[in-house]
Every structure is written in C-alpha cells, then in structure tokens.
Amino acid sequence: MKTIQLAIATLGILAAMPASAEEQRIKVGVGELTCPTCSFTVAAAMRGVPSVEIIDFQDGEEFGTGTYVVAFDDQAASPAMIIEAVLANGYPAEVLQAGES
C-alpha cells in the first residue's frame, strides 16, 4: 500500500512541475545607437532580463542601427520582456525574427 501511495505522490509532483525550459533565440533590431555607450547601455538592459545572453551583434545598414541575436530561457523571459528593457532605456527596439532553439 505504501508503494502505491508513494507512486501516486511522485506522479502528482511530476505533474505539477512546469515543462522543461527551452532556449529560444531572437533577432532584435535597435535604433539610435549613435556611440559605443549606446550599445553598452542596450546590452546591459538586455542582460538585466533573467537568463538573457547576447550571442551576436551586427551594425545595421543605416547609421545608428544594429541587430542583436539574443538567447534566453523561455521559462524565465520573453521577447516582450527584452524589448521592454530596451525601450525603458530610451532606445527604439523590435523583434526582427523569432528563432529556433
């Protein structure tokens, strides 16, 4: 009887646990990057979001623009959180492309 109760309790705990987190990648376009400090400020804002890691940065075709490739744990962060962090620092930003894990 104890074995059955233990098995039921274990299943209950496993059912209550969230699904495994997955790494997601997105490309974020940012504007008004007119100096090195701007890029540093935007990167720091993104890294302030839980689990965010900047994978790559490329200058945009137009002056003052750039594209960040960002990885994050989808259980800890979302694209909206990353964009909001950049916007809160006064830089225009948008998701250019959602990526695969």
Side-chain angles (χ1 to χ4, degrees):
M1 184 68 170
K2 286 184 181 181
T3 305
I4 293 173
Q5 290 174 340
L6 181 60
I8 291 172
T10 302
L11 287 174
I13 291 170
L14 291 175
M17 293 176 64
S20 297
E22 274 192 47
E23 180 184 89
Q24 300 293 318
R25 289 187 182 204
I26 59 172
K27 288 185 178 181
V28 178
V30 180
E32 299 181 18
L33 302 173
T34 57
C35 68
T37 303
C38 295
S39 295
F40 177 79
T41 301
V42 169
M46 288 183 184
R47 287 188 191 107
V49 177
S51 78
V52 169
E53 179 182 344
I54 298 171
I55 304 300
D56 191 23
F57 172 80
Q58 293 185 347
D59 288 319
E61 292 181 16
E62 295 180 25
F63 174 76
T65 64
T67 301
Y68 293 83
V69 177
V70 180
F72 61 95
D73 176 334
D74 67 356
Q75 294 292 312
S78 68
M81 291 170 68
I82 297 166
I83 297 299
E84 184 57 39
V86 177
L87 294 174
N89 281 276
Y91 296 91
E94 64 180 334
V95 175
L96 299 176
Q97 177 183 6
E100 296 287 322
S101 60

